[in-house]
Amino acid sequence: MAVVPLRPCRAAGRFLPLLCGGVRSKGAALSPGVPGRLTQRRYKKDVLPCPEGPVPSVSITEIRQYLRAQGIPFHDGYSCLHTPSPFTDGREDQLPPPAASAPYTLFIDKTTGSFLCTATLAEGTWQDFQANVELRHRGVRPASSEEPEEDVRRAREDARCIWDRALPLWQLLDEDETNETKAMFGISLVTDATLKRFGVRYLRTAKSLVFPWFSPRDATLKGLKLLRVEKKGDATAYVEETLPRFDSYHNLFGLPLIGRRDTELVLTGWELDALALHQATGVASLALPRGSTCLPPALLPYLEQFKRITLWLGEDLRSWEAAKLFARKLSLKRCSLVRPGDLQPRPLEALNQGLNLTKILRAALPASHKSIVSFRQLREEVFGELVNTEQVAGIKWARFPELNKLLKGHRRGELTIFTGPTGSGKTTFISEYALDLCMQGVCTLWGSFEINNVRLAKIMLTQFAAQRLEDQLDLYDEWADRFEDLPLYFMTFHGQQNIKTVIDTMQHAVYMYDITHVVVDNLQFMMGYENLSVDRLAAQDYIIGAFRKFATDNTCHITLVIHPRKEDDEKELQTASIFGSAKASQEADNVLILQDRKLVTGPGKRYLQVSKNRFDGDVGVFPLEFSKASLTFSSSSKSKVKLKKMKEEKAVSAKKAPEGGSGTSKKP
């Protein structure tokens, strides 16, 4: 049940190779690395177990039972179990009792069973831990290596080259240059003492701030992040680059400044916010390596010591949703959230506006309530949705503006059903539909059971480049590099699969990669795997119910492709045309139908029909134009959305399916 990562990244710029004075070519400087961590024994993989040899899942109960049976002391943490580390030098065979003053340095993730030793940076799966324990009982010590792998070593060399060329911002000879640089990044109020404490430098050649990543083990430089400013008219955009790549960049910026006695922490989504927070409040502040995009589980052990964590990730609704998701990983009972608003912007902006950051932190909301007793506890949530109507509507599609007019946006926690005639281009359309969102930072997991991942990736790469790369192979590496930076992952299933296996894989991906959009193509390939004695309609209802529950419980949007019933090719599909019972349309928040009107004289016309929209009820249809060269669809700007036609269709659907099979919502 493998998930193949395509290197999530938050920046499209590629200027790092130019900073080392030609030390390495572009491909070498940015070559994909394994996770940026020096391990004593490297267990970690970049892919999940393959279907042929799945790694068995493990529960927290099984982990506890095993540790007790082996006589290994442990105590419960928030996200991890803490045990003595067998990897620490000179103490491999000395397991201290639970009351010992020496800290436990091995952390076992309660959800996945994976482990990390913060003293030696050894890491691996639960099965690796068991194998290690068995070998040590036999008196055999596993082979270990302190040498970093080649990609890691190259990334560190490049990082060191850049770091040596960068200067402390307060040491620039020209005071005017210092002030202009600070003003450019909006940090005029950040003192030199704060910049010095966090080790921030400035690289003149790239006009970039440099944030270091020091090893928590021996303070050696493991990597760095560069931040530069791009002006686009009146707007200011910040572009980030990291060494190593983003998927291997696990830097909690500010971690070396954390003391063992610190029990309170503020997590931010940006390095500059961490500077502002620490300067204004004096509290321990860390910046997540990928902002509000992802909280890698590998970082959880470093956050175990804190009894209270406040998440202040940004100033938009997207960062608020991410904060709630991250709080579940960190344990809700110790987390508080700063809700974005006009009087509670991101920390750096709050500092620049002269707001009281300590007061804002004190007003942070607890991540969970035992019960909601009155509207008073919901009041701020409701007000936030009224103020931020555009953000509540979700992420807009860049390639399908007409779809934005109907659905208003892509929202977490919803279930979208997509159908269309055989051969109409369902997979091609839905791949561009998902790619559009992925290019805007939506972490996406693809489950393609009908076509293999190589063919799907080829389609999406062609759509991404908007041209046939077969005719321009010299451009392949350039576009592949950019495509590889998208937060895109693939399940390696193909053909019929069991729904439980699929759900387990999705659950793992949500935890590991913070997936917020899952595409499943298609439902019929899971129905064939179920027990043949079970009624097919009942099996379909069960599968749809499982996806509905998953979307709600994990605040994750699921797009599910379902083939239609066998109907007359000359008739348009309706909501009632979806294969199976009415449960699919009833459970769905949105129903999309790709209409293919075939013509005798030539190619037919394709339309996208929104026949259900639970968010605000708007339904309609708009034409699509297909480009064979780029495999892309685009909505025609000449035609207006035809909402009246949908009303007529809904009336017909209601007559054909009085039991509610149409599943469409009324337009207000």
Side-chain angles (χ1 to χ4, degrees), residues 169 172-182 202 204:
L169 190 58
L172 297 180
L173 298 178
D174 189 344
E175 186 176 347
D176 291 337
E177 181 185 4
T178 301
N179 294 334
E180 289 177 3
T181 301
K182 282 189 170 184
Y202 180 67
R204 275 181 171 147

Side-chain angles (χ1 to χ4, degrees), residues 222-510:
K222 299 183 63 177
L224 47 78
K225 176 185 287 189
L226 290 94
L227 178 71
R228 61 187 171 95
V229 176
E230 285 187 355
K231 294 288 186 180
K232 298 180 179 178
D234 296 332
T236 300
Y238 293 91
V239 180
E240 297 178 349
E241 285 282 356
T242 66
L243 277 174
R245 299 174 67 106
F246 263 96
D247 58 341
S248 302
Y249 184 75
H250 291 165
N251 179 25
L252 278 171
F253 179 71
L255 185 61
L257 304 179
I258 300 296
R260 288 189 176 182
R261 295 184 179 181
D262 288 330
T263 58
E264 295 190 4
L265 172 72
V266 181
L267 274 182
T268 70
W270 201 28
E271 288 77 6
L272 297 183
D273 285 337
L275 298 177
L277 257 172
H278 181 79
Q279 176 176 307
T281 65
V283 300
S285 305
L286 298 177
L288 295 174
R290 306 182 201 174
S292 60
T293 302
C294 180
L295 171 56
L299 300 180
L300 297 180
Y302 298 105
L303 304 175
E304 282 291 292
Q305 75 179 72
F306 302 103
K307 295 180 179 179
R308 175 172 176 174
I309 296 178
T310 302
L311 290 100
W312 192 350
L313 298 185
E315 55 193 355
D316 57 7
L317 196 64
R318 193 170 177 181
S319 63
W320 170 251
E321 294 293 336
K324 292 190 288 187
L325 183 65
F326 295 170
R328 294 169 61 178
K329 282 187 179 182
L330 295 166
S331 180
L332 293 172
K333 62 183 180 182
R334 64 167 172 164
C335 291
S336 299
L337 314 177
V338 175
R339 182 173 181 85
D342 291 338
L343 298 178
Q344 295 185 166
R346 65 182 322 128
L348 180 61
E349 185 63 27
L351 177 68
N352 291 334
Q353 292 181 16
L355 300 178
N356 190 328
L357 276 72
T358 301
K359 185 178 179 180
I360 294 175
L361 287 178
R362 288 175 180 170
L365 304 172
S368 65
H369 293 283
K370 292 183 178 179
S371 60
I372 302 296
V373 295
S374 68
F375 174 73
R376 183 178 181 180
Q377 291 172 294
L378 295 172
R379 181 169 179 161
E380 290 302 316
E381 292 270 359
V382 174
F383 180 74
E385 293 210 356
L386 293 175
V387 171
N388 303 296
T389 53
E390 283 297 309
Q391 294 184 32
V392 171
I395 299 173
K396 312 299 183 193
W397 283 271
R399 301 188 180 203
F400 302 101
E402 297 295 343
L403 190 57
N404 294 327
K405 295 179 182 179
L406 295 172
L407 290 181
K408 305 304 183 291
H410 174 88
R411 295 165 291 276
R412 293 185 179 187
E414 292 190 350
L415 174 64
T416 295
I417 300 296
F418 178 66
T419 191
T422 301
S424 60
K426 292 190 296 297
T427 300
T428 304
F429 171 81
I430 210 67
S431 65
E432 185 182 14
Y433 162 99
L435 177 64
D436 188 330
L437 298 168
C438 189
M439 291 170 64
Q440 299 180 63
V442 176
C443 297
T444 304
L445 176 66
W446 247 100
S448 176
F449 305 104
E450 193 163 350
I451 66 174
N452 62 50
N453 287 332
V454 173
R455 184 179 171 193
L456 176 62
K458 177 185 173 184
I459 292 173
M460 298 184 76
L461 179 59
T462 302
Q463 293 171 334
F464 181 69
Q467 58 184 307
R468 285 177 57 87
L469 295 177
E470 294 95 327
D471 302 330
Q472 304 179 70
L473 293 179
D474 56 318
L475 298 178
Y476 175 78
D477 285 335
E478 177 184 349
W479 284 106
D481 283 345
R482 297 182 185 179
F483 188 68
E484 193 174 341
D485 284 336
L486 296 176
L488 179 62
Y489 303 80
F490 297 96
M491 287 186 272
T492 58
F493 298 128
H494 187 61
Q496 296 181 356
Q497 295 297 329
N498 179 277
I499 179 61
K500 184 180 184 303
T501 304
V502 175
I503 292 292
D504 287 346
T505 303
M506 290 164 52
Q507 191 73 58
H508 183 92
V510 166

Side-chain angles (χ1 to χ4, degrees), residues 582-607:
K583 186 176 180 67
S585 56
Q586 290 169 350
E587 292 280 9
D589 296 285
N590 314 295
V591 175
L592 307 181
I593 303 176
L594 183 61
Q595 301 284 7
D596 187 9
R597 301 174 186 174
K598 292 181 170 55
L599 302 177
V600 178
T601 57
K605 295 183 178 180
R606 294 188 177 104
Y607 297 81

